[in-house]
Short mmCIF file of all heavy atoms in Angstrom, two decimals:
data_model
loop_
_atom_site.label_atom_id
_atom_site.label_comp_id
_atom_site.label_asym_id
_atom_site.label_seq_id
_atom_site.Cartn_x
_atom_site.Cartn_y
_atom_site.Cartn_z
N GLY R 9 -15.34 4.25 -5.37
CA GLY R 9 -15.49 3.49 -6.58
C GLY R 9 -15.85 2.08 -6.40
O GLY R 9 -15.67 1.53 -5.23
N PRO R 10 -16.33 1.28 -7.42
CA PRO R 10 -16.74 -0.07 -7.20
C PRO R 10 -15.48 -0.93 -6.93
O PRO R 10 -14.42 -0.62 -7.45
CB PRO R 10 -17.44 -0.40 -8.49
CG PRO R 10 -16.94 0.60 -9.47
CD PRO R 10 -16.72 1.85 -8.72
N ARG R 11 -15.72 -2.00 -6.16
CA ARG R 11 -14.53 -2.85 -5.87
C ARG R 11 -13.88 -3.52 -7.06
O ARG R 11 -12.75 -3.67 -7.09
CB ARG R 11 -15.02 -3.92 -4.88
CG ARG R 11 -15.21 -3.51 -3.50
CD ARG R 11 -15.53 -4.66 -2.53
NE ARG R 11 -16.91 -5.07 -2.69
CZ ARG R 11 -17.48 -6.08 -2.01
NH1 ARG R 11 -16.70 -6.79 -1.25
NH2 ARG R 11 -18.73 -6.43 -2.20
N ALA R 12 -14.75 -3.72 -8.09
CA ALA R 12 -14.16 -4.31 -9.30
C ALA R 12 -13.07 -3.55 -9.81
O ALA R 12 -12.03 -4.00 -10.47
CB ALA R 12 -15.27 -4.58 -10.28
N GLU R 13 -13.05 -2.19 -9.74
CA GLU R 13 -12.09 -1.34 -10.32
C GLU R 13 -10.78 -1.35 -9.45
O GLU R 13 -9.75 -0.80 -9.91
CB GLU R 13 -12.57 0.08 -10.45
CG GLU R 13 -13.67 0.23 -11.45
CD GLU R 13 -14.23 1.64 -11.59
OE1 GLU R 13 -13.66 2.48 -10.91
OE2 GLU R 13 -15.21 1.91 -12.29
N LEU R 14 -10.90 -1.75 -8.22
CA LEU R 14 -9.74 -1.79 -7.29
C LEU R 14 -8.97 -3.04 -7.38
O LEU R 14 -7.70 -3.12 -7.23
CB LEU R 14 -10.14 -1.71 -5.78
CG LEU R 14 -11.13 -0.49 -5.41
CD1 LEU R 14 -11.48 -0.50 -3.97
CD2 LEU R 14 -10.45 0.87 -5.76
N LEU R 15 -9.57 -4.17 -7.80
CA LEU R 15 -8.95 -5.46 -7.89
C LEU R 15 -7.91 -5.54 -8.98
O LEU R 15 -8.12 -4.89 -10.12
CB LEU R 15 -9.92 -6.58 -8.08
CG LEU R 15 -11.07 -6.65 -6.90
CD1 LEU R 15 -11.96 -7.83 -7.25
CD2 LEU R 15 -10.46 -6.82 -5.60
N GLY R 16 -6.84 -6.12 -8.75
CA GLY R 16 -5.77 -6.28 -9.70
C GLY R 16 -4.78 -5.15 -9.76
O GLY R 16 -3.73 -5.23 -10.27
N ARG R 17 -5.10 -3.98 -9.09
CA ARG R 17 -4.20 -2.84 -9.18
C ARG R 17 -3.34 -2.99 -7.92
O ARG R 17 -3.52 -3.60 -6.87
CB ARG R 17 -4.97 -1.52 -9.05
CG ARG R 17 -5.93 -1.36 -10.24
CD ARG R 17 -6.77 -0.19 -10.07
NE ARG R 17 -5.96 1.06 -9.94
CZ ARG R 17 -6.52 2.28 -9.66
NH1 ARG R 17 -7.87 2.46 -9.51
NH2 ARG R 17 -5.72 3.35 -9.66
N SER R 18 -2.13 -2.26 -8.03
CA SER R 18 -1.09 -2.23 -6.85
C SER R 18 -1.85 -1.42 -5.74
O SER R 18 -2.43 -0.33 -5.97
CB SER R 18 0.23 -1.57 -7.27
OG SER R 18 0.83 -2.34 -8.27
N LEU R 19 -1.63 -2.01 -4.52
CA LEU R 19 -2.27 -1.35 -3.43
C LEU R 19 -1.89 0.06 -3.29
O LEU R 19 -2.80 0.93 -3.00
CB LEU R 19 -1.89 -2.13 -2.12
CG LEU R 19 -2.46 -1.59 -0.81
CD1 LEU R 19 -4.04 -1.79 -0.72
CD2 LEU R 19 -1.79 -2.15 0.38
N TRP R 20 -0.67 0.36 -3.35
CA TRP R 20 -0.28 1.77 -3.06
C TRP R 20 -0.73 2.80 -4.04
O TRP R 20 -0.84 3.97 -3.77
CB TRP R 20 1.26 1.82 -2.95
CG TRP R 20 2.06 1.08 -3.92
CD1 TRP R 20 2.43 1.41 -5.17
CD2 TRP R 20 2.45 -0.30 -3.75
NE1 TRP R 20 3.10 0.39 -5.78
CE2 TRP R 20 3.12 -0.68 -4.97
CE3 TRP R 20 2.40 -1.21 -2.71
CZ2 TRP R 20 3.69 -1.97 -5.10
CZ3 TRP R 20 2.88 -2.46 -2.92
CH2 TRP R 20 3.56 -2.82 -4.06
N GLU R 21 -1.10 2.29 -5.29
CA GLU R 21 -1.65 3.16 -6.29
C GLU R 21 -3.09 3.67 -5.90
O GLU R 21 -3.59 4.70 -6.45
CB GLU R 21 -1.70 2.47 -7.59
CG GLU R 21 -0.25 2.14 -8.17
CD GLU R 21 -0.38 1.44 -9.55
OE1 GLU R 21 -1.49 1.13 -9.96
OE2 GLU R 21 0.65 1.14 -10.09
N LEU R 22 -3.73 2.82 -5.00
CA LEU R 22 -5.13 3.17 -4.63
C LEU R 22 -5.14 4.41 -3.58
O LEU R 22 -6.17 5.01 -3.45
CB LEU R 22 -5.79 2.02 -3.94
CG LEU R 22 -5.85 0.77 -4.84
CD1 LEU R 22 -6.48 -0.34 -4.07
CD2 LEU R 22 -6.50 1.03 -6.16
N TYR R 23 -3.96 4.62 -2.90
CA TYR R 23 -3.93 5.66 -1.90
C TYR R 23 -3.40 6.92 -2.43
O TYR R 23 -2.71 7.06 -3.50
CB TYR R 23 -2.99 5.16 -0.76
CG TYR R 23 -3.67 4.08 0.09
CD1 TYR R 23 -3.75 2.81 -0.23
CD2 TYR R 23 -4.28 4.44 1.36
CE1 TYR R 23 -4.31 1.81 0.48
CE2 TYR R 23 -4.95 3.49 2.15
CZ TYR R 23 -5.00 2.09 1.69
OH TYR R 23 -5.58 1.20 2.45
N PRO R 24 -3.59 8.08 -1.74
CA PRO R 24 -3.10 9.37 -2.13
C PRO R 24 -1.62 9.38 -2.35
O PRO R 24 -0.84 8.56 -1.74
CB PRO R 24 -3.49 10.29 -1.02
CG PRO R 24 -4.67 9.69 -0.34
CD PRO R 24 -4.38 8.20 -0.42
N GLN R 25 -1.07 10.37 -3.23
CA GLN R 25 0.25 10.33 -3.55
C GLN R 25 1.22 10.46 -2.32
O GLN R 25 2.26 9.93 -2.27
CB GLN R 25 0.46 11.51 -4.50
CG GLN R 25 1.91 11.69 -4.98
CD GLN R 25 2.34 10.64 -5.94
OE1 GLN R 25 1.54 10.10 -6.72
NE2 GLN R 25 3.67 10.14 -5.79
N VAL R 26 0.74 11.23 -1.27
CA VAL R 26 1.50 11.55 -0.14
C VAL R 26 1.96 10.26 0.68
O VAL R 26 2.99 10.34 1.34
CB VAL R 26 0.80 12.51 0.81
CG1 VAL R 26 -0.40 11.94 1.47
CG2 VAL R 26 1.69 13.06 1.85
N VAL R 27 1.19 9.20 0.56
CA VAL R 27 1.46 8.04 1.33
C VAL R 27 2.02 6.90 0.46
O VAL R 27 2.42 5.81 1.10
CB VAL R 27 0.20 7.64 2.15
CG1 VAL R 27 -0.81 6.96 1.34
CG2 VAL R 27 0.57 6.75 3.32
N ARG R 28 2.01 7.00 -0.81
CA ARG R 28 2.37 5.88 -1.70
C ARG R 28 3.74 5.29 -1.45
O ARG R 28 3.89 4.06 -1.28
CB ARG R 28 2.12 6.27 -3.17
CG ARG R 28 0.78 6.37 -3.58
CD ARG R 28 0.68 6.80 -4.99
NE ARG R 28 -0.73 7.13 -5.42
CZ ARG R 28 -1.03 7.57 -6.61
NH1 ARG R 28 -0.06 7.82 -7.54
NH2 ARG R 28 -2.34 7.84 -6.89
N GLU R 29 4.72 6.14 -1.43
CA GLU R 29 6.09 5.69 -1.27
C GLU R 29 6.31 4.95 0.03
O GLU R 29 6.94 3.87 0.11
CB GLU R 29 7.08 6.82 -1.40
CG GLU R 29 8.51 6.41 -1.34
CD GLU R 29 9.46 7.57 -1.61
OE1 GLU R 29 8.95 8.68 -1.96
OE2 GLU R 29 10.68 7.45 -1.35
N GLN R 30 5.80 5.54 1.15
CA GLN R 30 5.97 4.91 2.45
C GLN R 30 5.20 3.49 2.50
O GLN R 30 5.65 2.62 2.97
CB GLN R 30 5.49 5.87 3.61
CG GLN R 30 5.68 5.29 4.93
CD GLN R 30 5.23 6.37 6.03
OE1 GLN R 30 4.53 7.28 5.69
NE2 GLN R 30 5.56 6.05 7.25
N LEU R 31 3.96 3.57 1.97
CA LEU R 31 3.15 2.38 2.05
C LEU R 31 3.79 1.24 1.24
O LEU R 31 3.86 0.05 1.65
CB LEU R 31 1.78 2.69 1.45
CG LEU R 31 0.84 1.52 1.40
CD1 LEU R 31 0.63 0.81 2.69
CD2 LEU R 31 -0.53 1.97 0.81
N GLN R 32 4.40 1.62 0.04
CA GLN R 32 4.95 0.55 -0.79
C GLN R 32 6.21 -0.08 -0.06
O GLN R 32 6.44 -1.39 -0.08
CB GLN R 32 5.49 1.16 -2.14
CG GLN R 32 6.09 0.12 -3.00
CD GLN R 32 6.59 0.75 -4.32
OE1 GLN R 32 6.40 1.96 -4.56
NE2 GLN R 32 7.09 -0.09 -5.26
N ALA R 33 7.07 0.82 0.56
CA ALA R 33 8.23 0.35 1.31
C ALA R 33 7.79 -0.56 2.41
O ALA R 33 8.41 -1.67 2.63
CB ALA R 33 9.05 1.44 1.84
N ARG R 34 6.75 -0.22 3.18
CA ARG R 34 6.36 -1.07 4.30
C ARG R 34 5.71 -2.32 3.79
O ARG R 34 5.88 -3.40 4.38
CB ARG R 34 5.38 -0.21 5.19
CG ARG R 34 6.05 0.87 5.95
CD ARG R 34 5.02 1.67 6.75
NE ARG R 34 5.68 2.75 7.54
CZ ARG R 34 6.13 2.67 8.73
NH1 ARG R 34 6.00 1.48 9.34
NH2 ARG R 34 6.70 3.59 9.36
N PHE R 35 4.97 -2.29 2.72
CA PHE R 35 4.32 -3.47 2.18
C PHE R 35 5.34 -4.51 1.82
O PHE R 35 5.22 -5.64 2.16
CB PHE R 35 3.40 -3.02 1.02
CG PHE R 35 2.61 -4.17 0.47
CD1 PHE R 35 1.26 -4.39 0.80
CD2 PHE R 35 3.23 -5.07 -0.45
CE1 PHE R 35 0.57 -5.49 0.26
CE2 PHE R 35 2.48 -6.19 -0.97
CZ PHE R 35 1.16 -6.41 -0.63
N GLN R 36 6.35 -3.99 1.05
CA GLN R 36 7.39 -4.87 0.61
C GLN R 36 8.14 -5.58 1.80
O GLN R 36 8.53 -6.79 1.78
CB GLN R 36 8.36 -4.19 -0.30
CG GLN R 36 7.66 -3.81 -1.66
CD GLN R 36 8.49 -2.92 -2.57
OE1 GLN R 36 9.46 -2.35 -2.04
NE2 GLN R 36 8.11 -2.78 -3.83
N ARG R 37 8.39 -4.75 2.89
CA ARG R 37 9.04 -5.33 4.03
C ARG R 37 8.22 -6.50 4.73
O ARG R 37 8.71 -7.47 5.08
CB ARG R 37 9.40 -4.22 5.06
CG ARG R 37 10.61 -3.42 4.74
CD ARG R 37 11.16 -2.74 5.98
NE ARG R 37 10.15 -1.94 6.64
CZ ARG R 37 10.01 -0.64 6.39
NH1 ARG R 37 10.73 -0.01 5.39
NH2 ARG R 37 9.08 0.08 7.01
N VAL R 38 6.90 -6.16 4.87
CA VAL R 38 5.95 -7.17 5.44
C VAL R 38 5.90 -8.39 4.62
O VAL R 38 5.91 -9.55 5.06
CB VAL R 38 4.61 -6.52 5.66
CG1 VAL R 38 3.57 -7.59 6.12
CG2 VAL R 38 4.67 -5.52 6.76
N ALA R 39 5.82 -8.25 3.27
CA ALA R 39 5.69 -9.33 2.35
C ALA R 39 6.98 -10.23 2.34
O ALA R 39 6.92 -11.38 2.27
CB ALA R 39 5.50 -8.86 0.89
N ALA R 40 8.13 -9.57 2.59
CA ALA R 40 9.37 -10.26 2.61
C ALA R 40 9.70 -10.87 3.90
O ALA R 40 10.19 -12.02 3.98
CB ALA R 40 10.56 -9.31 2.18
N ALA R 41 9.54 -10.12 4.94
CA ALA R 41 9.92 -10.64 6.35
C ALA R 41 8.78 -11.31 7.16
O ALA R 41 9.11 -11.99 8.09
CB ALA R 41 10.50 -9.43 7.14
N GLY R 42 7.60 -10.95 6.80
CA GLY R 42 6.54 -11.49 7.57
C GLY R 42 6.18 -10.82 8.85
O GLY R 42 5.17 -11.16 9.43
N GLU R 43 6.92 -9.84 9.30
CA GLU R 43 6.60 -9.07 10.52
C GLU R 43 5.52 -8.04 10.23
O GLU R 43 5.68 -7.18 9.29
CB GLU R 43 7.87 -8.43 11.04
CG GLU R 43 8.97 -9.36 11.57
CD GLU R 43 8.44 -10.20 12.70
OE1 GLU R 43 7.62 -9.73 13.53
OE2 GLU R 43 8.87 -11.44 12.73
N PRO R 44 4.51 -7.95 11.10
CA PRO R 44 3.55 -6.90 10.80
C PRO R 44 3.99 -5.56 11.13
O PRO R 44 4.93 -5.34 11.97
CB PRO R 44 2.37 -7.34 11.93
CG PRO R 44 3.05 -8.05 12.94
CD PRO R 44 4.13 -8.80 12.26
N GLU R 45 3.36 -4.52 10.43
CA GLU R 45 3.79 -3.15 10.74
C GLU R 45 2.52 -2.30 10.74
O GLU R 45 1.48 -2.62 10.20
CB GLU R 45 4.68 -2.67 9.54
CG GLU R 45 6.12 -3.23 9.62
CD GLU R 45 7.10 -2.38 8.78
OE1 GLU R 45 6.79 -1.14 8.53
OE2 GLU R 45 8.10 -2.89 8.41
N ALA R 46 2.63 -1.19 11.44
CA ALA R 46 1.52 -0.19 11.51
C ALA R 46 2.16 1.27 11.45
O ALA R 46 3.27 1.47 11.93
CB ALA R 46 0.78 -0.44 12.76
N PHE R 47 1.42 2.16 10.80
CA PHE R 47 1.98 3.51 10.80
C PHE R 47 0.75 4.45 10.62
O PHE R 47 -0.46 4.01 10.13
CB PHE R 47 2.92 3.68 9.72
CG PHE R 47 2.42 3.68 8.27
CD1 PHE R 47 2.18 4.79 7.53
CD2 PHE R 47 2.28 2.48 7.66
CE1 PHE R 47 1.69 4.76 6.27
CE2 PHE R 47 1.88 2.32 6.34
CZ PHE R 47 1.54 3.51 5.64
N GLU R 48 0.99 5.76 10.97
CA GLU R 48 0.05 6.78 10.80
C GLU R 48 0.39 7.71 9.67
O GLU R 48 1.53 7.92 9.37
CB GLU R 48 -0.10 7.58 12.01
CG GLU R 48 -1.21 7.27 13.00
CD GLU R 48 -1.33 8.21 14.19
OE1 GLU R 48 -0.43 9.08 14.29
OE2 GLU R 48 -2.23 7.94 15.00
#
């Protein structure tokens, strides 16, 4: 989809359902603590 439709939405809502909960938890930890994270 066009980028304009992605802007302003929560990041985890853009990804498939199977990864949303894990992505949201990791995003919030990185936003709060500042330590980078990576996962598969």
